């Protein structure tokens, strides 16, 4: 490797920031290798300290400005400087709340929160820090989730690791809100039972995308019709909560379905507002349909076997009849021959 590249490579590595996901309780970090670990917690607060809330949830009007507080509790044996940061919030694939890391730019609720850059908390002490939420005048009605956290960055080596602990700030802008979940990427797969006397199942997979303005859950009805709709099989499924712009993968199985030609599967998804004020909310159900063609493989194999057995039995009966006819004909011929011999002997 060209030696002139080494300093630039080291600088690039030193600029990498690895963010530890937002923790809702207590965090521990070792800012510099060999130094005592720092343990701290962050909670919503009032002027006196933590007020018992797990997170902050507010319904606000466009243009409204409110002041909230957070408490940073330092459980360590030495004073520590914590960086305070706010960012857009989202739900992970496992349904856990998180906020964007420092190297990603916030574009929504995280930009509404103004808080001081740092706070120094004495050993075994607590610091209450006010922060301001300013709702833009043109803010869209609905949910604008964010998170706020106190962070400590470990600087050992070439990679900085940002450890943070904080809580969610759920902001809902007043106005007409919409709960909507779209059905995307609907696919079905027929899984047959190789027992010809047992029905198979249809595996239904799709993505429920929150294209509304508020956090929502969903109730899905999945219907599979066979024999051109003459017979229907129905099952229900719950869609886990998602925030605006988020999505959830759904995997449902419809049992008791026979492979008898086209199988038409329809998903009807009805959303529900996750929480907060639901007055005047618009609920927009979604529907999607897909059709797959199937053949009754095990049943066809069974019919082929039965047909082969029937043909074999028929051939065996025919052979038996021919053999019996031949024996009867030979017996008749032998009887005639004996009769002729007896007549000649009497003469």
């Amino acid at each position: 490797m060209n030696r002139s590249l080494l300093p630039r490579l080291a600088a690039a590595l030193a600029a990498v920031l690895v963010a530890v996901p937002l923790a809702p309780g207590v965090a521990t970090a070792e800012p510099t290798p060999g130094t005592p670990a720092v343990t701290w917690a962050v909670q919503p607060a009032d002027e006196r300290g933590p007020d018992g809330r797990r997170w902050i949830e507010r319904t606000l009007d466009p243009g409204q400005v409110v002041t909230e507080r957070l408490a940073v509790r330092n459980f360590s044996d030495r004073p520590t400087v914590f960086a305070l940061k706010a960012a857009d919030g989202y739900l992970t694939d496992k349904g856990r709340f998180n906020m964007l890391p420092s190297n990603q730019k916030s574009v929504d609720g995280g930009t509404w929160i103004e808080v001081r850059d740092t706070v120094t908390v004495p050993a075994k002490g607590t610091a209450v820090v006010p922060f301001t939420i300013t709702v833009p005048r043109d803010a869209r009605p609905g949910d604008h989730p964010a998170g706020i956290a106190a962070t400590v960055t470990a600087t050992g080596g070439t990679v900085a690791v940002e450890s943070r602990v904080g809580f969610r700030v759920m902001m809902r802008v007043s106005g007409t809100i919409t709960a909507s979940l779209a059905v995307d990427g609907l696919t079905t797969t027929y899984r047959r039972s190789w027992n010809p006397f047992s029905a198979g199942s249809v595996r239904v997979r799709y993505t429920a995308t929150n294209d509304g303005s508020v956090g929502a859950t969903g109730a899905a009805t999945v219907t599979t019709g066979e024999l051109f709709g003459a017979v229907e099989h129905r099952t229900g499924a719950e869609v886990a909560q998602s925030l605006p712009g988020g999505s959830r993968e759904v995997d449902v199985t419809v049992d008791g379905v026979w492979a008898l030609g086209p199988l038409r599967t329809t998903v009807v998804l009805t959303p529900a507002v996750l929480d907060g004020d639901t007055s005047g909310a618009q609920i927009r159900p979604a529907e999607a349909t897909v059709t797959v063609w199937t053949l009754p493989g095990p049943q066809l194999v069974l019919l082929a076997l039965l047909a082969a057995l029937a043909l074999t039995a028929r051939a065996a009966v025919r052979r038996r009849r021919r053999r019996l006819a031949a024996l009867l004909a030979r017996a008749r011929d032998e009887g005639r021959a004996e009769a002729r011999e007896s007549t000649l002997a009497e003469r």
Side-chain angles (χ1 to χ4, degrees):
M1 179 181 293
N2 189 334
R3 292 186 178 180
S4 64
L5 295 178
L6 292 177
R8 283 181 290 174
L9 179 59
L13 289 175
V16 175
L17 180 66
V18 179
V20 176
L22 178 70
V26 178
T28 300
E30 188 177 311
T32 305
T35 62
V38 177
T39 303
W40 73 103
V42 180
Q43 299 167 269
D46 55 22
E47 296 87 347
R48 295 164 297 189
D51 57 11
R53 290 179 293 174
R54 295 183 60 192
W55 58 75
I56 292 174
E57 189 171 352
R58 298 289 299 262
T59 297
L60 307 169
D61 296 327
Q64 185 174 356
V65 180
V66 297
T67 298
E68 283 282 1
R69 291 172 175 81
L70 62 85
V72 182
R73 304 172 64 188
N74 182 8
F75 302 109
S76 307
D77 294 327
R78 60 187 178 90
T80 305
V81 178
F82 297 95
L84 301 178
K85 299 179 181 180
D88 290 349
Y90 65 96
L91 292 179
T92 66
D93 293 338
K94 296 182 179 180
R96 296 178 180 176
F97 188 86
N98 205 348
M99 56 184 275
L100 296 180
S102 299
N103 57 355
Q104 291 188 28
K105 185 178 180 180
S106 295
V107 296
D108 195 38
T111 64
W112 301 359
I113 299 175
E114 183 177 353
V115 64
R116 58 194 292 185
D117 292 334
T118 62
V119 60
T120 301
V121 185
K124 306 296 184 180
T126 300
V128 175
V129 180
F131 63 92
T132 303
I133 301 174
T134 303
V135 183
R137 295 188 179 277
D138 59 350
R140 183 186 70 166
D143 290 341
H144 301 267
I148 188 166
T151 68
V152 171
T153 301
T155 57
T158 57
V159 178
V161 179
E162 182 183 80
S163 301
R164 61 189 184 184
V165 61
F167 55 85
R168 68 184 75 179
V169 181
M170 303 298 292
M171 297 169 287
R172 175 167 294 178
V173 177
S174 60
T176 302
I177 58 176
T178 302
S180 177
L181 295 174
V183 181
D184 297 324
L186 176 61
T187 62
T188 57
T189 305
Y190 183 73
R191 295 184 291 189
R192 58 175 43 86
S193 170
W194 290 105
N195 179 356
F197 302 103
S198 177
S201 62
V202 176
R203 184 180 183 185
V204 183
R205 288 178 286 184
Y206 62 94
T207 301
T209 302
N210 189 331
D211 58 353
S213 62
V214 293
T217 57
T221 301
V222 182
T223 304
T224 296
E226 56 182 325
L227 293 176
F228 299 94
V231 179
E232 289 188 344
H233 306 270
R234 184 169 299 173
T235 188
E238 296 296 325
V239 179
Q241 65 182 23
S242 61
L243 296 175
S247 61
R248 288 294 186 183
E249 300 297 323
V250 184
D251 194 329
V252 184
T253 298
V254 183
D255 296 316
V257 181
W258 295 92
L260 301 174
L263 299 179
R264 189 172 186 267
T265 299
T266 300
V267 175
V268 178
L269 188 56
T270 303
V273 178
L274 183 59
D275 50 30
D277 184 11
T278 61
S279 59
Q282 296 181 354
I283 308 298
R284 295 180 181 174
E287 181 176 326
T289 299
V290 66
T291 300
V292 295
W293 283 80
T294 59
L295 290 176
Q299 290 76 21
L300 291 176
V301 171
L302 177 61
L303 288 176
L305 290 175
L306 292 176
L309 290 175
L311 292 174
T312 301
R314 183 179 180 184
V317 170
R318 287 182 175 180
R319 286 196 300 270
R320 190 176 298 111
R321 287 177 178 176
R322 287 196 296 268
R323 189 178 301 112
L324 180 58
L327 290 175
L328 291 175
R330 188 169 63 184
R332 285 195 297 269
D333 292 340
E334 291 177 352
R336 292 191 186 102
E338 290 179 357
R340 284 196 299 270
E341 291 177 358
S342 298
T343 301
L344 291 176
E346 289 175 358
R347 293 179 181 179

